[in-house]
Amino acid sequence: MFGALTQDCLEFLLQEGSIYQCEQGYTLFSPGEDSNYFYVVLNGRVGFSRAKGDQKIYIRSFKPGEQIGFVGMIGLHERRGFAVAEEPTYLLEISSALFHQVCEKFPSDFVVFLINITREMSREINHLDALCADLNTLEQ
């Protein structure tokens, strides 16, 4: 997530962002909540699930270096799932205001940051495409 960012930008993110230590089972967000921030997993693991009826359906785990919650923030929609610490976890919270400040103070780093996030999201989309192909194969 932070690959190729300058030291100044990294220090700014760490100083201005909020770092949280979460115990296993701690809920970071739930459906319907505002999406005005996202997290970068620094250490540990965060599970993501979505509700279907009265069940929580596990989607995936986010590991160190990955972000969770960016899609809701950038898409301007409320949270659509549950994010829960699967083990003791350290997170960096980046609010939409801080994200905008990075854009203003470190424009070159902001481009790199967006490329890093986009690259991660494209890998997720590729994985989802493979899952859809598998499901379509099972249905035939």
Side-chain angles (χ1 to χ4, degrees):
M1 184 60 53
F2 300 127
L5 295 182
T6 64
Q7 187 70 28
D8 288 343
C9 182
L10 285 171
E11 288 175 5
F12 180 78
L13 284 167
L14 291 172
Q15 289 171 0
E16 300 299 319
S18 299
I19 296 177
Y20 294 104
Q21 177 185 6
C22 304
E23 296 302 319
Q24 181 178 355
Y26 179 79
T27 300
L28 304 172
F29 58 77
S30 298
E33 295 178 1
D34 288 337
S35 296
N36 51 7
Y37 55 87
F38 68 99
Y39 296 102
V40 177
V41 180
L42 301 175
N43 188 298
R45 199 173 65 235
V46 175
F48 182 74
S49 60
R50 290 186 72 153
K52 183 166 182 165
D54 59 352
Q55 292 183 326
K56 278 188 188 178
I57 308 299
Y58 172 81
I59 305 295
R60 68 172 287 228
S61 293
F62 292 81
K63 301 172 294 206
E66 296 180 326
Q67 60 76 26
I68 183 168
F70 182 78
V71 172
M73 188 186 86
I74 205 71
L76 301 175
H77 59 75
E78 63 189 26
R79 302 290 184 201
R80 304 234 168 112
F82 300 90
V84 178
E86 295 180 326
E87 59 187 45
T89 300
Y90 285 90
L91 303 160
L92 172 63
E93 181 187 272
I94 299 174
S95 67
S96 56
L98 178 56
F99 195 64
H100 182 71
Q101 288 172 355
V102 171
C103 178
E104 290 180 333
K105 291 176 91 64
F106 304 95
S108 295
D109 286 294
F110 186 74
V111 170
V112 172
F113 198 26
L114 276 178
I115 289 170
N116 291 344
I117 292 170
T118 304
R119 184 176 297 122
E120 183 183 326
M121 290 174 61
S122 71
R123 289 177 183 139
E124 291 176 20
I125 291 168
N126 186 50
H127 179 71
L128 290 172
D129 283 349
L131 289 174
C132 288
D134 290 344
L135 287 173
N136 285 335
T137 302
L138 290 174
E139 291 176 0
Q140 294 176 3

